[in-house]
Amino acid sequence: MNKIQHILIVDDHPAMAYGTKFILEQEENIQVVGVATTGEMGVEMMVELKPSIIFLDFHLPDLTGMEVAVKMRELNKDVQIVIFTGIDYMPILNNLLELGVCGIMSKDSSEDQIRNMMRALKEGQSVIPISLLHQMRLSHPDDDLSSLTDEEINIMNQIVKGATNEQIADEIHMSKRSVDNYVRKIYDKFGVKSRAQAIEKFLQIKR
């Protein structure tokens, strides 16, 4: 008899969460044990319900999917995590893979794609979209860091410490507008859209 897979869905959009729940439960030996709407709730429900697989939205109201995945993997290194999101995750792909994420799916995925993901997971396989595979390239992290100027590296070091653009401007004796321009250039070079993503990318390539 096949083992029943217990699934936890962490997504703050009810239509997406319960739509995914409905699709998954059409599969044999699948039971969705809970739906969490925040990252903290997801971590608590993981501890309580002990799911074997977690479908995790990357963009949650309290925490990023990265932060949630880190907490979950610290508590249970064997849990399988599928990132289920609509954002551009290329800038932090390496971080996700290092965490042991076993699948990445777009929120635009069809019912068949979700079912195929589930079947692959039960067979111990990882799944990523072909479009994402085509974007992946082999490179050394230092290649990305070398694209930053000394000023940009200094600014990123300040950002990592939690400084605002105004505080950075005061620290390096530069106008706030100039700092804003530098930050936009850094985002472009990293291929990110937010401060959090820039920090994650910078810390990744500094290792």
Side-chain angles (χ1 to χ4, degrees):
M1 183 174 179
N2 291 332
K3 178 182 177 182
I4 294 178
Q5 297 289 337
H6 296 115
I7 313 295
L8 173 64
I9 298 172
V10 185
D11 195 318
D12 63 322
H13 295 89
M16 179 62 65
Y18 286 96
T20 303
K21 178 179 185 293
F22 176 80
I23 293 169
L24 291 173
E25 290 187 331
Q26 304 310 301
E27 290 293 298
E28 186 178 0
N29 298 318
I30 296 294
Q31 180 183 358
V32 177
V33 294
V35 174
T37 56
T38 68
E40 289 292 351
M41 185 186 299
V43 174
E44 292 172 2
M45 291 179 71
M46 184 201 77
V47 173
E48 177 185 353
L49 301 173
K50 297 179 174 55
S52 52
I53 299 172
I54 296 172
F55 276 73
L56 174 62
D57 181 11
F58 194 87
H59 189 66
L60 295 164
D62 57 338
L63 300 169
T64 67
M66 177 68 70
E67 291 169 322
V68 178
V70 168
K71 289 187 177 187
M72 288 178 167
R73 294 290 290 179
E74 287 175 349
L75 292 167
N76 182 356
K77 63 180 179 62
D78 295 322
V79 69
Q80 293 180 291
I81 299 175
V82 176
I83 296 295
F84 200 52
T85 187
I87 72 163
D88 177 17
Y89 36 71
M90 276 303 296
I92 55 170
L93 178 62
N94 287 341
N95 301 70
L96 294 174
L97 296 179
E98 287 171 9
L99 278 175
V101 167
C102 59
I104 300 173
M105 290 204 75
S106 166
K107 282 197 170 185
D108 295 327
S109 298
S110 67
E111 292 186 16
D112 284 341
Q113 288 173 317
I114 295 173
R115 292 192 182 100
N116 288 337
M117 166 71 80
M118 195 63 247
R119 291 164 188 162
L121 293 177
K122 289 198 288 187
E123 295 295 328
Q125 299 179 17
S126 296
V127 178
I128 63 172
I130 291 176
S131 59
L132 174 57
L133 180 65
H134 288 167
Q135 294 180 64
M136 295 172 65
R137 63 183 178 86
L138 296 176
S139 65
H140 191 280
D142 286 344
D143 293 340
D144 291 324
L145 188 59
S146 65
S147 70
L148 298 183
T149 65
D150 290 342
E151 290 85 358
E152 290 166 346
I153 291 174
N154 185 22
I155 288 171
M156 276 308 306
N157 281 323
Q158 296 294 324
I159 289 175
V160 168
K161 294 176 183 177
T164 65
N165 286 9
E166 290 87 350
Q167 291 169 332
I168 295 171
D170 289 340
E171 177 69 23
I172 63 177
H173 308 293
M174 186 180 291
S175 71
K176 179 181 177 297
R177 177 174 293 183
S178 294
V179 173
D180 291 343
N181 289 334
Y182 272 116
V183 171
R184 280 194 292 270
K185 289 179 182 178
I186 292 169
Y187 285 10
D188 289 341
K189 289 180 179 182
F190 282 170
V192 301
K193 297 179 180 179
S194 71
R195 208 173 188 85
Q197 289 178 341
I199 291 172
E200 290 169 347
K201 181 70 172 180
F202 184 67
L203 293 177
Q204 171 196 335
I205 64 179
K206 281 190 70 177
R207 291 177 182 172

